[in-house]
Amino acid sequence: MQAEGEAARLAKPLAGPSPSEKPMSGCAQVGDPSEEGWPSSQWGCQGIGELQTLTGQMSHQPVVATKTSGDMDKPLISRHLVDSNSSLAEAPSEVPKVGILGSGDFARSLATRLLGSGFSVVVGSRNPKRTAWLFPSAAHVTFQVEAVSSPEVIFVAVFREHYSSLCGLSDQLAGKILVDVSNPTEQEHLGHRESNAEYLASLFPTCMVVKAFNVISAWTLLSGPRDGNRQVPICSDQPEAKRAVSEMVHAMGFTPVDMGTLASAREVEAMPLRLLPGWKVPTLLALGLFICFYAYNFIRDVLQPYMQEGKNKFYKLPVSVVNTTLPCVAYVLLSLVYLPGVLAAALQLRRGTKYHRFPDWLDHWLQHRKQIGLLSFFCAALHALYSFCLPLRRSHRYELVNLATEQVLANKSHLWDEEEVWRMEIYLSLGVLALGTLSLLAVTSLPSIANSLNWREFSFVQSTLGFVALVLSTLHTLTYGWTRAFKERHYKFYLPPTFTLTLLVPCVVILAKGLFLLPCFSRRLTKIRRGWEKDGAVKFTLPADHTLVEKTSLV
Ligand SMILES: Cc1cc2nc3c(=O)[nH]c(=O)nc-3n(C[C@H](O)[C@H](O)[C@H](O)COP(=O)(O)OP(=O)(O)OC[C@H]3O[C@@H](n4cnc5c(N)ncnc54)[C@H](O)[C@@H]3O)c2cc1C
Ligand SMILES: NC(=O)C1=CN([C@@H]2O[C@H](COP(=O)(O)OP(=O)(O)OC[C@H]3O[C@@H](n4cnc5c(N)ncnc54)[C@H](OP(=O)(O)O)[C@@H]3O)[C@@H](O)[C@H]2O)C=CC1
Ligand code: HEM
Ligand SMILES: [Cu+2]
Ligand SMILES: [Fe+3]
């Protein structure tokens, strides 16, 4: 895919159609640019300037989208707002005009938003009479040829398979900016080697093609960028065209994101097709752990009593077994967040340099820690909720009543086990603290909050507090387990209690972290992470550390 994109980029002029170059492929005849004067230079001088003042002009636009059908008739700028502000009501001398080809859902939303953002809009339809009533009255709906004659920026809001039906317009379109907003379906995306935008560029080699807006749905365009993603990735081979469209994106209330040349269009077109990238492996991991632990707990808590004691404990399946499974998944996932950091440190210490690449699996693992961590938090939060539900269950009430009856029959009055009381108090408190710490990590992973922290603050929360959460969870699990691991009656079918299985990885991580905090390791690790190499080119000493360098380098 990389090679393909590269080839596509090389095959195309990087900075706009050059006058000496005739269209190599594409639609019908286009006039010889060297004879007729190249229209793109016109745009270069006036058009850009016109658009660059757009943002400034915006506030002077009294353009109000009105009368249409359904959702469309909500003006994006209320008349009240416009009228009450005299400077807003001032009529501008010239309103930048934008063309739209196509009269479908996307075209309608786009027209409405463009009008609300201070542009004048002319829509090109194959059948303007039939479609005009669907558009705000301020939009001019006409035939395709007429619509593309005056605007310098034209949005192509038709599907890829109909691009070639626009070929008759290539004379009028020459030198203008064409914005490709199309979204391929998954099949289309896999079926075509070149992106839709590159295909459009090959049909109209005299135009400047810009890929934009494909990630924005018609609905978001209409309702405005109040919620959801505001970013609009943009790419084009012509920097000036890209700049002009970026300014329009900005004026419409979205955030343009420069994605480089048109060779990136394939990547941009793939964006709306992705479903939560980066979550697949962590989610499968969490599901796999859940299934394994659930099966294990089922055998211990339900199957064993049924087979060996003839007791029916199937009622435990919905709450009790789930609440033994979820915390184990949360705990193991949490330890898997901090394990790769330890492995990376061990690898750096062994190699004596940080300039060797980590193996792919470790690299991948390091990059997925956020998702693994958030899934751990999710399971831990569910575990807490399930735990609060334990005493609400009817089975729990019956057990209490039965116990009380047994006490009465046995003529015992005071039931109190000091050790059990303390165990429970302590492990519950530690669990709450662990969850509280984890929620800090979860909150800071929200982009808006992460942006307000500097790197040191973020890494303090993520690295240090995250480790504290791991330690607290371990203490919670250990105090919950107490002496159970050593009592034979807790081994069902010779299977040890579930919590003992989960302790392995976290304890290894905690011990290794502790080990790396020892001065001999931590100094060497710090040096390596600042670029020092065991027997390599970069040699230096840490400030005020001259005497130790020789010693620690031998570790
Ligand atoms: C609920 C939750 C939410 C999470 N959200 C996020 C998130 O939003 N974003 C995210 O990235 N992770 C997130 N994580 C994952 C995890 O918290 C972080 O990856 C965390 O930074 C891992 O810490 P670490 O100490 O294991 O490793 P690291 O912080 O990678 O490194 C270990 C130590 O080495 C040091 N170090 C590492 N690399 C270098 C270097 N090149 N030069 C010098 N020193 C170095 C660090 O300062 C640190 O002391 C989340 C986890 C959880 C549980
Ligand atoms: N809907 C959405 O949310 C989004 C859509 N897009 C993209 O916008 C483009 C348009 O989508 P959308 O508006 O939903 O689609 P529609 O089917 O609603 O509209 C397509 C329009 O294309 C015009 N058209 C031009 N030539 C032809 C032709 N030969 N055959 C058929 N129609 C033609 C038609 O207008 P007329 O009859 O007036 O000529 C028609 O209204 C697509 O590329 C899509 O991927 C991108 C992001 C989001
Ligand atoms: C509000 C927070 C929490 C509460 C109230 C809580 C409560 C409990 C309770 C009641 C149990 C015993 C379950 C049973 O009887 O089957 C338990 C066990 C356990 N908890 Fe928590 N917990 C909390 C947070 C956490 C967190 C954050 C973790 C780790 C990420 C965690 C990991 C565990 C583990 C591993 C067990 C042992 C499961 C088993 O083997 O049965 N808990 N917790
Ligand atoms: Cu991946
Ligand atoms: Fe495609």
Side-chain angles (χ1 to χ4, degrees):
M1 217 170 94
Q2 182 70 36
E4 188 191 298
E6 203 59 41
R9 187 165 53 191
L10 290 177
K12 237 184 301 298
L14 273 176
S18 76
S20 60
E21 188 180 60
K22 280 196 188 176
M24 293 173 295
S25 53
C27 312
Q29 285 312 303
V30 181
D32 186 349
S34 50
E35 284 166 20
E36 291 182 11
W38 200 246
S40 74
S41 58
Q42 267 177 16
W43 168 256
C45 305
Q46 304 160 1
I48 296 280
E50 200 174 284
L51 269 172
Q52 272 166 349
T53 57
L54 275 181
T55 349
Q57 281 184 17
M58 240 185 75
S59 53
H60 301 285
Q61 300 311 311
V63 183
V64 176
T66 45
K67 207 188 108 278
T68 37
S69 66
D71 281 337
M72 298 282 183
D73 54 21
K74 280 184 225 126
L76 288 160
I77 294 179
S78 79
R79 191 175 290 281
H80 171 74
L81 198 87
V82 175
D83 290 346
S84 65
N85 188 332
S86 58
S87 76
L88 276 177
E90 240 169 65
S93 51
E94 209 181 322
V95 180
K97 194 182 260 186
V98 179
I100 301 174
L101 285 172
S103 62
D105 298 328
F106 196 80
R108 258 176 286 150
S109 304
L110 184 66
T112 311
R113 176 124 294 258
L114 280 168
L115 287 169
S117 308
F119 296 87
S120 93
V121 173
V122 47
V123 179
S125 170
R126 290 166 305 162
N127 192 342
K129 276 218 187 87
R130 193 190 59 193
T131 49
W133 67 276
L134 293 166
F135 282 83
S137 56
H140 179 44
V141 184
T142 176
F143 287 102
Q144 289 177 339
V145 184
E146 198 191 325
V148 300
S149 61
S150 67
E152 291 297 338
V153 180
I154 291 134
F155 286 84
V156 182
V158 307
F159 285 99
R160 174 191 176 116
E161 59 262 41
H162 303 135
Y163 283 179
S164 54
S165 74
L166 304 173
C167 278
L169 304 169
S170 27
D171 282 346
Q172 287 83 0
L173 289 175
K176 301 194 172 185
I177 295 179
L178 288 187
V179 186
D180 181 309
V181 300
S182 66
N183 262 335
T185 60
E186 199 141 355
Q187 280 151 325
E188 271 177 335
H189 183 71
L190 296 174
H192 299 296
R193 221 172 49 83
E194 90 217 297
S195 63
N196 291 358
E198 287 167 306
Y199 171 61
L200 187 68
S202 74
L203 288 178
F204 299 95
T206 59
C207 294
M208 297 188 262
V209 173
V210 179
K211 181 87 210 177
F213 284 107
N214 65 306
V215 300
I216 304 292
S217 72
W219 165 250
T220 310
L221 259 182
L222 198 65
S223 59
R226 272 181 311 232
D227 45 30
N229 194 350
R230 293 156 175 263
Q231 294 186 336
V232 174
I234 297 186
C235 64
S236 171
D237 284 341
Q238 288 84 18
E240 69 272 36
K242 188 159 65 182
R243 202 176 320 121
V245 175
S246 294
E247 272 164 28
M248 291 183 70
V249 170
H250 207 79
M252 288 160 82
F254 295 94
T255 311
V257 178
D258 191 341
M259 295 291 290
T261 64
L262 212 56
S264 314
R266 224 184 122 78
E267 194 190 322
V268 175
E269 284 172 13
M271 283 178 181
L273 298 175
R274 292 190 309 215
L275 181 70
L276 305 175
W279 283 88
K280 200 171 147 192
V281 177
T283 310
L284 288 177
L285 175 72
L287 273 178
L289 282 173
F290 187 89
I291 290 169
C292 291
F293 277 120
Y294 194 90
Y296 188 85
N297 292 328
F298 171 75
I299 294 172
R300 269 180 49 88
D301 295 352
V302 181
L303 208 59
Q304 192 270 345
Y306 186 72
M307 288 176 66
Q308 295 198 329
E309 297 158 32
K311 285 186 190 157
N312 178 353
K313 300 248 171 150
F314 284 87
Y315 74 88
K316 286 191 169 186
L317 289 181
V319 178
S320 183
V321 177
V322 172
N323 196 37
T324 329
T325 305
L326 279 174
C328 296
V329 177
Y331 186 42
V332 171
L333 284 178
L334 187 61
S335 66
L336 292 182
V337 170
Y338 294 92
L339 181 59
V342 168
L343 293 178
L347 216 59
Q348 288 178 336
L349 278 174
R350 221 182 85 115
R351 290 166 166 179
T353 172
K354 70 166 184 179
Y355 297 109
H356 267 286
R357 259 187 65 83
F358 291 134
D360 276 348
W361 58 267
L362 184 56
D363 206 41
H364 214 72
W365 193 352
L366 286 163
Q367 283 172 29
H368 286 66
R369 287 179 297 177
K370 173 175 177 169
Q371 287 85 346
I372 301 175
L374 287 171
L375 284 170
S376 162
F377 171 70
F378 176 68
C379 293
L382 287 184
H383 160 56
L385 289 176
Y386 272 108
S387 295
F388 296 140
C389 291
L390 291 178
L392 296 178
R393 295 172 307 159
R394 197 151 286 264
S395 57
H396 179 76
R397 258 191 256 172
Y398 290 146
E399 273 170 13
L400 278 184
V401 172
N402 291 340
L403 185 68
T405 319
E406 275 171 33
Q407 288 281 110
V408 171
L409 291 178
N411 216 1
K412 287 184 192 161
S413 61
H414 190 70
L415 188 63
W416 187 269
D417 181 339
E418 188 75 14
E419 185 179 309
E420 274 295 289
V421 168
W422 275 103
R423 177 182 79 93
M424 189 105 187
E425 301 283 321
I426 294 173
Y427 89 66
L428 282 181
S429 179
L430 286 166
V432 172
L433 289 176
L435 188 70
T437 319
L438 272 185
S439 28
L440 285 180
L441 267 78
V443 168
T444 46
S445 68
L446 295 172
S448 56
I449 303 211
N451 289 343
S452 70
L453 300 173
N454 65 30
W455 188 82
R456 200 157 166 218
E457 290 160 347
F458 185 76
S459 93
F460 169 74
V461 174
Q462 291 296 335
S463 193
T464 312
L465 286 189
F467 186 66
V468 168
L470 183 66
V471 173
L472 286 170
S473 308
T474 304
L475 294 175
H476 168 67
T477 311
L478 282 174
T479 43
Y480 163 75
W482 210 248
T483 52
R484 276 159 207 243
F486 311 113
K487 291 187 179 150
E488 207 180 324
R489 70 188 162 89
H490 290 291
Y491 285 70
K492 314 268 173 81
F493 282 149
Y494 303 104
L495 298 174
T498 323
F499 76 91
T500 55
L501 303 185
T502 63
L503 282 166
L504 181 70
V505 188
C507 288
V508 167
V509 172
I510 292 173
L511 288 178
K513 278 253 185 193
L515 199 67
F516 292 152
L517 281 179
L518 295 178
C520 59
F521 288 113
S522 73
R523 278 176 185 279
R524 188 172 157 94
L525 204 54
T526 313
K527 276 198 300 167
I528 289 172
R529 284 176 174 169
R530 293 207 190 167
W532 177 87
E533 283 186 290
K534 187 165 64 180
D535 33 35
V538 192
K539 291 223 186 250
F540 67 91
T541 53
L542 289 178
D545 197 24
H546 305 289
T547 48
L548 277 157
V549 171
E550 294 313 309
K551 254 194 279 171
T552 50
S553 64
L554 295 171
V555 172

